[in-house]
Amino acid sequence: MFSIEEKKLMEEALKEAELAFKEDEVPVGAIIVNEKGEIIGRGRNQIIKFKDPTAHAEILAIRDACKNIGNFRLIGCKMFVTLEPCAMCAYAIVLARLEEVIFATEDPRTGACGSIYNLLHEKKFNHQVKIKKGLYKEKASMLLKDFFKNKR
């Protein structure tokens, strides 16, 4: 179901999530690749560091990618993210015109790519985004569980 290249790219997103974990941030990581499969953007949750509720991994990866290519449109690009994007991030993905999102584990509490809502397939929007899920689900899920277990 997932290619070797997709697995390698999700491993990069997991590295970002692990960095967030070490920084005492919720361990979510994201990367964006162009049509050639080159990483053009990276992000990890940094809400506490930046004192910014919008500093989610996906938002920071989109900002990084846009800066790196010099355009606010990420046409033909794909995002690999360790947790299903929330509504804020999902709509940012739509606005950036990403082609596809591949996420590791679902978020039954705030997920907006199928769990609670599916904003990436909303027909009223002028852009829809392909979705794949489940790549390294157990690893991403365990990272989140370990983080929150340490907090309790």
Side-chain angles (χ1 to χ4, degrees):
M1 181 174 164
F2 295 104
S3 71
I4 292 170
E5 186 62 26
E6 287 173 325
K7 289 178 181 177
K8 287 179 183 176
L9 293 168
M10 185 60 82
E11 288 168 6
E12 290 297 317
L14 284 163
K15 287 178 188 175
E16 292 294 326
E18 289 164 358
L19 286 171
F21 186 99
K22 289 176 186 169
E23 295 167 351
D24 206 30
E25 299 271 4
V26 175
V28 179
I31 64 154
I32 296 175
V33 298
N34 63 17
E35 292 130 333
K36 297 176 187 175
E38 301 164 332
I39 298 172
I40 60 169
R42 292 179 174 273
R44 62 184 175 274
N45 276 7
Q46 294 187 298
I47 294 166
I48 296 166
K49 177 182 179 180
F50 294 131
K51 297 170 184 57
D52 178 356
T54 69
H56 288 199
E58 301 94 325
I59 300 294
L60 297 177
I62 289 170
R63 289 176 185 165
D64 190 40
C66 289
K67 182 184 79 175
N68 288 333
I69 68 165
N71 196 333
F72 66 97
R73 297 279 191 240
L74 299 173
I75 296 167
C77 296
K78 297 179 183 183
M79 176 182 284
F80 290 79
V81 61
T82 60
L83 181 65
E84 179 182 0
C86 68
M88 174 184 68
C89 294
Y91 194 57
I93 288 164
V94 170
L95 291 174
R97 305 294 192 267
L98 283 161
E99 179 182 316
E100 184 173 19
V101 170
I102 297 99
F103 66 86
T105 191
E106 295 168 320
D107 186 347
R109 293 180 55 213
T110 64
C113 301
S115 288
I116 296 177
Y117 310 105
N118 192 340
L119 296 181
L120 300 188
H121 289 170
E122 176 55 56
K123 298 290 184 217
K124 293 178 183 173
F125 296 158
N126 63 351
H127 180 74
Q128 287 78 46
V129 181
K130 296 177 202 164
I131 300 170
K132 279 187 184 176
K133 61 182 178 177
L135 178 57
Y136 288 122
K137 177 180 182 170
E138 293 79 22
K139 189 170 185 175
S141 182
M142 190 55 65
L143 193 59
L144 287 159
K145 286 177 185 172
D146 288 347
F147 178 82
F148 287 110
K149 186 167 73 174
N150 291 337
K151 292 289 177 194
R152 293 183 183 119

